[in-house]
Amino acid sequence: MKKVPYRIYLPEDRIPRQWHNIRANMKEQHEPFLNPATGEVLKKEDLYPVFCEELVEQEFDTTHEYIDIPDEIVEFYKMYRPSPLVRAYNLEKALNTPAKIYYKFEGNNTSGSHKLNSAVAQVYYAKKQGITKLTTETGAGQWGTALAMAAKYFNMDLTVYMVKSSYYQKPYRKAVMETFGATIIPSPSDTTEAGRAILKQFPDTNGSLGCAISEAVETAFKTENCRYVLGSVLDQVILHQSVIGLEAKAAFEMIDEYPDIIIGCAGGGSNLGGLISPFMKDKLEGKHNPYFIAVEPASCPSLTRGKYAYDFCDTGKMTPLAKMYTLGCDFQPSPNHAGGLRYHGMAPIISKLYHDGYLDEARAVEQTKVFESAVLFSQVETILPAPESAHAVHVAIQEAIKCRESGESKTILFGLTGTGYFDMTAYASFHDGTMTDYIPTDEDLERGFAKLPKV
Amino acid sequence: MKKVPYRIYLPEDRIPRQWHNIRANMKEQHEPFLNPATGEVLKKEDLYPVFCEELVEQEFDTTHEYIDIPDEIVEFYKMYRPSPLVRAYNLEKALNTPAKIYYKFEGNNTSGSHKLNSAVAQVYYAKKQGITKLTTETGAGQWGTALAMAAKYFNMDLTVYMVKSSYYQKPYRKAVMETFGATIIPSPSDTTEAGRAILKQFPDTNGSLGCAISEAVETAFKTENCRYVLGSVLDQVILHQSVIGLEAKAAFEMIDEYPDIIIGCAGGGSNLGGLISPFMKDKLEGKHNPYFIAVEPASCPSLTRGKYAYDFCDTGKMTPLAKMYTLGCDFQPSPNHAGGLRYHGMAPIISKLYHDGYLDEARAVEQTKVFESAVLFSQVETILPAPESAHAVHVAIQEAIKCRESGESKTILFGLTGTGYFDMTAYASFHDGTMTDYIPTDEDLERGFAKLPKV
């Protein structure tokens, strides 16, 4: 039998022409968004001031299993897609495991992550509607970079609210976004009511994704011909990110394999949702039964220790209420937590699939262990993972070691969502031994739960 | 006719199995290296204390046109090769040019550049000989990173002397190298006689590649079972880098095209030499007549304003004398010069080809213009080039504009040697307007020429 190559590239004409909408396959839909002012089920029109109309359509679409990808977006995808499915031969060798480890590598574009897949879609639809300005938030900086790239490509103005800790930890991210013409504001800022309110209450805050979202939404709302775009959590984002899973599945078909275990890191859920989408369809339809694992940081454990409840998507409580696993919208992970995966909630689709048992397992892991795995992975596979992605690396290694112990030759797929070139501060703290772990106490979490909105 | 895809990937089994040795095609060889102590022509044995034996063989080999690539090196190449040949459709559109622009992109590996191609070869041969420790220098950090990756893969100890300006400008490069287990020392340092001598004479020096070379060579010389490795200039390096040109040529064959103009940035000459190697063979054999352009910074203009003369390869005057275009081994570009391409000399192979008229043109360009082109390229092609690579981008744009003016539809190939993720300080200085240009005066250069060794 011919040996599978290290890197499996589909040809350009195999870039998906349709996104896969997992909601069309789900037995039950997640609970609807609620209007935070009225408590009523949210209507499409309620979202039009914030999101452009075609994205609102996608957000509410539970019936179309496949949605056409516009040609202009496919053209953009051609600059960095299909991304490779990589066989981790050297990691397998280092672990002495009979498991076959594959990763879908989304890091080989300038944003450094999978975020570009949805950024280009969201910018395209806004442009098509005649919108000229966009706002967003960014945490680790990957989403902001991705959006800056897409916005410049389509000649749209972009303002990015960047979580303050990242803004100062990652000045180079800022310079990259500026190369693509974006305006960057550290959040919380005094440019919005939401920002000023949070600064008044917590003058020394490092910021949070939830707070940056509030600021970006407020600005979009108050600026003419401007809309807000969001890099995770939303159903539309998981729809766009399905290109990851679709390409991965096509690549597995090409080599006549199918993964037994599928692992993704989960912050807001965009990568995990996109990676598992077409495989979840197989599971829901009884065709295959892959074991899905969501990996989250122990410092921000929304799936493993959160409540499945309605909550705001942002700290400023301006957004609709979503039914999701949440730590409470005020939750902020300890400042020693590196990189992304710091969101208080989890995408409603992911939350629902987890709650109903289709997403088999959520696993919380500590960051020093994650960086141990990141360093091993770097050394043998020569790709330096983003801290977020390293969570998936870590659990893939755990599962491969289990295979060594059991002698099973399982096929493991994980999402390597990005590269860590802009996260070297975190790597340096790991190298010099100053990196620590943080696990919130039950009391910490109870404080967040107590403030969940009564619905 | 089928449209050429954006990214042309050769399959894994088309990774070259042999390097191409351009010297076997050259009408005349470059002058031999000279022993700096005796002035005699250098013998292989003279180099054994510094380089491992098989690399010395390669350094002296002018007769074998092709040299087998060991399987272990091919296995390593599989983790990131073949690299894509990219059709710059969006750049063409932005320039409104009838030219067809292609670039061979070597940046999609963690070293961020083509340097990995030779690093793995040099480490492999040292390991095979039983060497356990290596030393090297790095300027912009790409070579040091590449070597750290290769050294860790083959379990070799590595000490990197990093040019002091880069060490402080690029702390994240250091963290990457440390992820791969390397020891990093800012140069000049007090760990060597060469370093101490330079510090005594120039206590405030920012360092230079020439000085870092002296330190690394001295340490290799004085340490048991240790050898020195060098990322550019040498004939062996251009040999290893021929994989770039071989893959590019194979990709052009696949799409039935041949480049009219081939452009590479030139610091020490490794990328340019590797890129042009098989195309130069065609020219030397009269089969094709591509126009070759070497691009160098106006601040370090070895080809355009240097002397073709014997000179030391390092500042400490420890290395053999090479006949090359040189600014004098004490030459140091102004500290405002960003990134690599700061070497005082030029690879003897490149120098000879240029002197004999086969390398058609050398063009010196100013860095603010280079960064203008880098930003344009980033915005339309979504790849953020390294400052070094941006020199080639800039001249490719100049040539494409000429085509627009003349109406000619030439095929342009340039080497996009790497990404600029670790060069954001330079980009930031461009964005905020503090970046300046520097052109040495004739008097500056005369001072360097006056000190050239008398041979």
Side-chain angles (χ1 to χ4, degrees), chain A residues 78-91:
Chain A
K78 286 179 184 174
M79 287 193 285
Y80 69 102
R81 305 204 70 82
S83 70
L85 178 71
V86 186
R87 174 75 184 267
Y89 284 114
N90 290 319
L91 181 60

Side-chain angles (χ1 to χ4, degrees), chain A residues 29-47:
Chain A
Q29 296 303 316
H30 63 72
E31 310 293 315
F33 288 106
L34 301 182
N35 185 316
T38 63
E40 302 285 305
V41 170
L42 199 75
K43 293 188 293 293
K44 289 180 185 175
E45 306 82 78
D46 296 336
L47 284 176

Side-chain angles (χ1 to χ4, degrees), chain B residues 7 12 20 28 46 109 114 160 173 202 232 239 296 386 391 401:
Chain B
R7 297 181 307 157
E12 183 181 85
H20 172 239
E28 282 180 27
D46 296 335
N109 67 72
H114 68 292
V160 179
R173 272 283 185 206
F202 308 103
S232 193
L239 174 73
E296 60 184 12
H391 286 71
I401 289 172

Side-chain angles (χ1 to χ4, degrees), chain A residues 343-377:
Chain A
Y343 185 60
H344 67 272
M346 182 56 64
I349 288 178
I350 296 293
S351 294
K352 178 69 176 165
L353 289 168
Y354 180 58
H355 188 253
D356 291 354
Y358 298 109
L359 172 52
D360 299 275
E361 184 186 339
R363 200 176 294 178
V365 293
E366 294 178 37
Q367 78 174 351
T368 52
K369 298 287 173 201
V370 164
F371 274 81
E372 274 173 28
S373 293
V375 169
L376 171 63
F377 183 82

